[in-house]
Amino acid sequence: MADAGNGVSGSDSSRNASDAADRAAETAAAQQAAADKAAADAVAAAAVDPVQAAPVDLSISPAAISQLSAMPVDTVPNLASFPTLGGVPTAATYADIAQKPATPAIEETNVWSPSFSITPNDPAAVAKATINDVSINLGLNYVGDVNANLEARMGIAPAQVTFAGAVSYTDGITSYSLSGVAGPFGGVADPNYGLTADLTKQLDFGKLEASLNLNANPDGFTSGRLATGVTAPLSDHWNGYARVGVGFDRNGVNSVDGTVGADYTAGGTSLGVSGNGRVDTRTGDVSGGAKLNLGIKF
């Protein structure tokens, strides 16, 4: 019995020793795995964590700011002038500029601007106007070295549209203008095409004026007129004028007309006297008349 008990006891001791060795091996393996994981985490963390740079002092000392504020401004850029900073178009210091920044002036020139109107617009005319008299006007105006305008006049009854345009230029002594009209389109009447050129020139003794007008329809040229005239001062309050015109059509000259007159203006009083005559070159008929205008403003 004693031998059997000793044999069982020896077997248990051997099994316990084997289990202890296995646990020790497992513990060592777990510790090694933990150490490997910690090393890998450290490498990954080092790859993504930014390096904190040392702070840089960018502040400007009060002494430097004081010197810059008092530094004079050169109105003309000059690289040879080291004590000043060029390029600022004002005779002020940089401190003044910082306190009162200059606002650049914006001046808009040479620009097309739209226009809109309804005619008639005179109260007396509106009271008597019918739907046939009403038109809506849309336009564009250009102001520059050369002035120009375009306009579309749209009638309501009947529905028609007429186009008009003009361009003008003056150099202070001589003025030129060219204007045209086309329409109406859309109605039962045939459209008319008109072109007018005007010239005004200031002379030593007065003003010279000349104009040429041409008209046409879909069939071709219909009529025209060439006119010229002179206006000159007669005294301090009197201006005199004389004008002559020639009318023509497809068959040649058909009329000659002329006007002579004088205007008086002083204070609120105005007076105008004129006489005109016309000769039909084909029939020989002569017509004319005289006119007197008096105006007094109180």
Side-chain angles (χ1 to χ4, degrees):
M1 294 293 293
D3 293 340
N6 292 335
V8 172
S9 175
S11 176
D12 292 339
S13 298
S14 177
R15 186 179 300 110
N16 292 337
S18 177
D19 293 342
D22 291 341
R23 288 194 297 272
E26 292 175 356
T27 301
Q31 291 175 347
Q32 184 61 44
D36 293 342
K37 183 177 182 303
D41 292 343
V43 172
V48 300
D49 289 346
V51 177
Q52 298 295 327
V56 178
D57 186 7
L58 299 178
S59 61
I60 302 176
S61 67
I65 295 176
S66 176
Q67 293 176 2
L68 181 62
S69 298
M71 186 178 294
V73 179
D74 214 352
T75 57
V76 179
N78 185 3
L79 298 179
S81 179
F82 292 102
T84 62
L85 298 178
V88 180
T90 178
T93 65
Y94 281 90
D96 296 332
I97 298 172
Q99 294 174 1
K100 299 178 181 179
T103 302
I106 299 176
E107 183 178 354
E108 193 174 52
T109 58
N110 297 343
V111 176
W112 286 96
S113 59
S115 63
F116 172 81
S117 64
I118 297 177
T119 53
N121 50 27
D122 180 72
V126 171
K128 300 177 182 179
T130 65
I131 192 66
N132 298 332
D133 303 321
V134 177
S135 66
I136 300 173
N137 312 311
L138 301 175
L140 287 174
N141 302 308
Y142 179 88
V143 178
D145 295 334
V146 176
N147 298 326
N149 65 78
L150 300 173
E151 187 177 45
R153 306 165 187 166
M154 294 171 285
I156 298 177
Q160 297 177 334
V161 59
T162 300
F163 299 97
V167 59
S168 62
Y169 169 78
T170 181
D171 60 5
I173 297 177
T174 307
S175 299
Y176 310 88
S177 70
L178 184 66
S179 61
V181 62
F185 298 99
V188 295
D190 290 335
N192 178 73
Y193 306 95
L195 184 67
T196 301
D198 292 293
L199 168 68
T200 302
K201 185 177 182 63
Q202 193 69 38
L203 304 174
D204 294 338
F205 59 86
K207 181 172 63 176
L208 172 66
E209 298 174 303
S211 66
L212 173 64
N213 172 255
L214 301 174
N215 297 291
N217 60 22
D219 295 329
F221 171 75
T222 58
S223 63
R225 173 179 165 81
L226 176 63
T228 185
V230 175
T231 302
L234 303 177
S235 64
D236 292 340
H237 302 290
W238 282 95
N239 287 322
Y241 58 87
R243 302 184 180 101
V244 62
V246 177
F248 52 91
D249 55 20
R250 298 176 184 178
N251 300 317
V253 175
N254 55 25
S255 66
V256 177
D257 61 84
T259 302
V260 176
D263 295 321
Y264 171 85
T265 303
T269 303
S270 63
L271 174 65
V273 293
S274 64
N276 63 83
R278 182 181 184 275
V279 178
D280 189 319
T281 58
R282 292 179 183 161
T283 64
D285 293 339
V286 178
S287 60
K291 184 184 296 184
L292 172 66
N293 295 320
L294 175 63
I296 300 176
K297 186 180 295 184
F298 297 98

